[in-house]
Amino acid sequence: MLTAVQKEILQSLINLYRKSKCTSVKCESIAELMGRNSGTIRNQMQSLRSLGLVQGVPGPRGGYKPTLDAYQTLNIANDPCEIHVPIYINGNVVSDISVNKIEFTSILRPGDCEATISVLGDIKQLDLDDEIKVGPTPVNNLTVTGKIIGRDDVDNVLLIKTKNIVSIPNIKLDELANKSVLTLDSTMDMYEICASLLSHESTCAPVLDDNKLIGVIRYKDIMKNIADKNIDVKAEDIMDKNVVTAKDNISLMSAMDLLQQNNVSSLVLLNDDEEITGTVTFIDILNTLLAV
């Protein structure tokens, strides 16, 4: 079993190894981070090396690297050089730290829910009562927001009083898309457009001209023109030419980002051959989230 000092040295090594983009770390750098004598660090490194937790790198640019056993010993599941889960403090991203593990210590009363966050990187720069946002995580798009109420510098763990916990299902757009694709011809009049949308129970439809996608019509486009008493118009006159398209195999999270960034309520889906395969609306996404 590692001593508290060995554990802190190993955690500091991993933090610096990650910060340096996975290049070897010198004992002097670890000593500076920990506020200890470099000779003490060097002696402890020999013990950690004999335990198979660190690997020495010779040469003028040499130093030490953590082994896979080091990650396992500290319960770090993934190589921190491959996956980055961001942390935001008081609204600003902290670029040199990442999340390794999230565990909820109390969930029976959401108002009192707490979580422990295992962190890769120097957490001494974080203070109690800081507002924190963690995530999204790479698989389940889990995001946790709250306030830091505790900090363990030896185990590199933060205790969070949670405010919100959000997780977006890891599904592809084609799993929730309306694949009964309704398309409108650019020459269709207002009555034909409304009749087509009603018969297909659709709130939006792509507009084609000679099988080429040139726009999209949504309910709001129709309502605006009716309110302005523009009835004698064609689809090409009222369509939105700013068509936001997406590949049908992108994630739900990516689709939500597209909707927000472009301030639209629907997406037109395309396959790899640029053929229309369906549409996804904000309502489709909302229904999916409510059904989870």
Side-chain angles (χ1 to χ4, degrees), residues 167-169 171 176 252 256 282-292:
S167 180
I168 306 300
I171 60 177
L176 62 133
L252 176 57
M256 294 172 67
F282 173 78
I283 297 300
D284 296 326
I285 292 176
L286 182 60
N287 288 336
T288 299
L289 295 175
L290 290 174
V292 173

Side-chain angles (χ1 to χ4, degrees), residues 89-131:
I89 297 296
N90 300 322
N92 299 312
V93 65
V94 185
S95 60
D96 58 347
I97 63 177
S98 178
V99 177
N100 174 59
K101 185 186 298 183
I102 302 174
E103 294 180 327
F104 295 101
T105 56
S106 62
I107 57 175
L108 294 181
R109 293 182 295 176
D112 296 327
C113 184
E114 294 179 355
T116 57
I117 312 295
S118 175
V119 178
L120 298 168
D122 179 17
I123 65 173
K124 295 183 180 68
Q125 59 188 298
L126 310 182
D127 296 319
L128 300 185
D129 293 329
D130 276 346
E131 296 291 331

Side-chain angles (χ1 to χ4, degrees), residues 91-284:
N92 299 312
V93 65
V94 185
S95 60
D96 58 347
I97 63 177
S98 178
V99 177
N100 174 59
K101 185 186 298 183
I102 302 174
E103 294 180 327
F104 295 101
T105 56
S106 62
I107 57 175
L108 294 181
R109 293 182 295 176
D112 296 327
C113 184
E114 294 179 355
T116 57
I117 312 295
S118 175
V119 178
L120 298 168
D122 179 17
I123 65 173
K124 295 183 180 68
Q125 59 188 298
L126 310 182
D127 296 319
L128 300 185
D129 293 329
D130 276 346
E131 296 291 331
I132 185 171
K133 173 185 171 184
V134 175
T137 59
V139 177
N140 296 316
N141 296 302
L142 178 69
T143 300
V144 178
T145 60
K147 181 180 292 187
I148 299 176
I149 60 174
R151 194 184 80 191
D152 184 337
D153 294 343
V154 175
D155 289 328
N156 244 48
V157 170
L158 299 172
L159 180 60
I160 307 300
K161 177 81 168 181
T162 63
K163 181 178 179 181
N164 288 307
I165 303 170
V166 178
S167 180
I168 306 300
N170 187 29
I171 60 177
K172 303 299 183 183
L173 271 198
D174 59 4
E175 297 179 41
L176 62 133
N178 179 4
K179 297 181 181 179
S180 177
V181 184
L182 165 67
T183 58
L184 305 173
D185 188 87
S186 60
T187 60
M188 293 175 68
D189 61 32
M190 182 71 81
Y191 299 101
E192 292 172 318
I193 294 169
C194 292
S196 296
L197 290 173
L198 284 172
S199 64
H200 283 78
E201 297 183 348
S202 298
T203 59
C204 68
V207 180
L208 304 182
D209 184 21
D210 289 333
N211 292 320
K212 180 182 178 181
L213 178 62
I214 61 171
V216 63
I217 289 179
R218 305 178 181 92
Y219 264 173
K220 73 171 186 177
D221 302 315
I222 297 173
M223 294 299 102
K224 181 180 183 303
N225 280 273
I226 291 177
D228 293 339
K229 299 182 180 180
N230 295 326
I231 305 298
D232 189 20
V233 291
K234 304 296 184 183
E236 61 186 356
D237 300 321
I238 67 171
M239 69 184 184
D240 185 352
K241 296 180 181 179
N242 181 27
V243 187
V244 183
T245 62
K247 292 296 184 181
D248 54 15
N249 61 354
I250 70 169
S251 68
L252 176 57
M253 186 70 178
S254 298
M256 294 172 67
D257 286 339
L258 277 176
L259 290 174
Q260 181 184 40
Q261 291 168 11
N262 293 279
N263 193 28
V264 295
S265 59
S266 62
L267 300 172
V268 178
L269 305 189
L270 307 175
N271 60 19
D272 290 337
D273 296 323
E274 298 298 311
E275 299 170 332
I276 298 174
T277 59
T279 57
V280 168
T281 67
F282 173 78
I283 297 300
D284 296 326

